[in-house]
Amino acid sequence: ALAISAFVPWLITPLLIVGGLFLCFEGVEKLAHKFLHSKEEDDAHRSELTRALTDPNADLAAVERDKIKGAIRTDFILSAEIIVIALGTVADKPLATQVAVLVSIAALMTVGVYGLVAGIVKLDDLGLHLSQRGGAQAALGRGILRAAPWLMKALSIAGTAAMFLVGGGIVVHGVPVLHHLVQGWMTSAGSSAAWLVEQLGNAGIGIAAGAVVLVVVTLGKKLFGRPAVAA
């Protein structure tokens, strides 16, 4: 990010837009999953997971390799977007300030955000461990095990919405025509509803942009004989 800012600063905005479009694409792909994949494909995948869960020698990471790769790819792009956005806020500052800001944000994201994500992922392990302790700890563990699937579903919905809000917002701010369009909507809505209108505008444009990218990607995969795979 620092090298781009120093040598090709004009490239920052296009890279942000590309990253934003990817996030929108990921979100639309999740929504359109049931239309892109047949019931037979979903049933086969579910049967494969069931067999893996009942086989103590199965490598679940290998079974879920595509989904894991998709998650890592999305996290990488989202992290890069955050770093570039942060760099844009201090682009006119000395190099030492830019380095300090980026290092601080990188450390905060790694320890804070991804540390929290790691904790959420291990919730079921914590619940299982507590449920085997007995007494109040066992009751707490069983409660965690019952709540974890619902928490994961809620986070999945929130994460998809965030893809549209963040990705759409990046696209809107990077394309002047779209930015002026959303600003016009906000002005018409008045100050009391301006924030809500902005978020809805970003999300709507994000969904539309992601749908366009999805169509292009799906057609490209069909032309090259590769089926679309949900991230």
Side-chain angles (χ1 to χ4, degrees), residues 163-210:
M163 286 183 178
F164 295 131
L165 291 172
V166 175
I170 291 172
V171 173
V172 167
H173 285 83
V175 180
V177 174
L178 297 178
H179 182 66
H180 292 318
L181 178 63
V182 173
Q183 289 295 314
W185 293 343
M186 293 169 60
T187 302
S188 301
S191 58
S192 60
W195 180 85
L196 178 59
V197 170
E198 180 183 18
Q199 300 310 311
L200 291 176
N202 291 343
I205 290 175
I207 293 172

Side-chain angles (χ1 to χ4, degrees), residues 93-175:
K93 303 296 182 182
L95 178 62
T97 301
Q98 295 181 16
V99 172
V101 169
L102 295 189
V103 168
S104 299
I105 291 177
L108 179 63
M109 286 177 56
T110 302
V111 177
V113 178
Y114 291 115
L116 176 62
V117 170
I120 293 173
V121 170
K122 301 296 286 185
L123 263 183
D124 53 349
D125 291 334
L126 174 63
L128 179 61
H129 174 72
L130 292 176
S131 67
Q132 297 170 343
R133 298 292 294 273
Q137 292 185 6
L140 176 60
R142 290 192 295 271
I144 292 175
L145 289 174
R146 284 193 293 268
W150 294 99
L151 174 62
M152 293 300 180
K153 287 183 179 180
L155 290 175
S156 177
I157 294 172
T160 302
M163 286 183 178
F164 295 131
L165 291 172
V166 175
I170 291 172
V171 173
V172 167
H173 285 83
V175 180

Side-chain angles (χ1 to χ4, degrees), residues 12-65:
I12 291 180
T13 297
L15 287 176
L16 282 173
I17 293 176
V18 170
L21 288 173
F22 178 81
L23 294 177
C24 295
F25 160 73
E26 288 275 284
V28 171
E29 189 179 36
K30 290 179 184 297
L31 294 180
H33 175 79
K34 63 180 180 180
F35 300 107
L36 294 177
H37 300 267
S38 66
K39 185 177 183 300
E40 290 74 18
E41 288 178 313
D42 288 337
D43 290 342
H45 180 63
R46 190 176 295 108
S47 298
E48 183 181 12
L49 288 179
T50 302
R51 287 193 300 271
L53 289 171
T54 56
D55 182 2
N57 297 319
D59 184 358
L60 293 181
V63 174
E64 289 292 275
R65 184 173 289 112

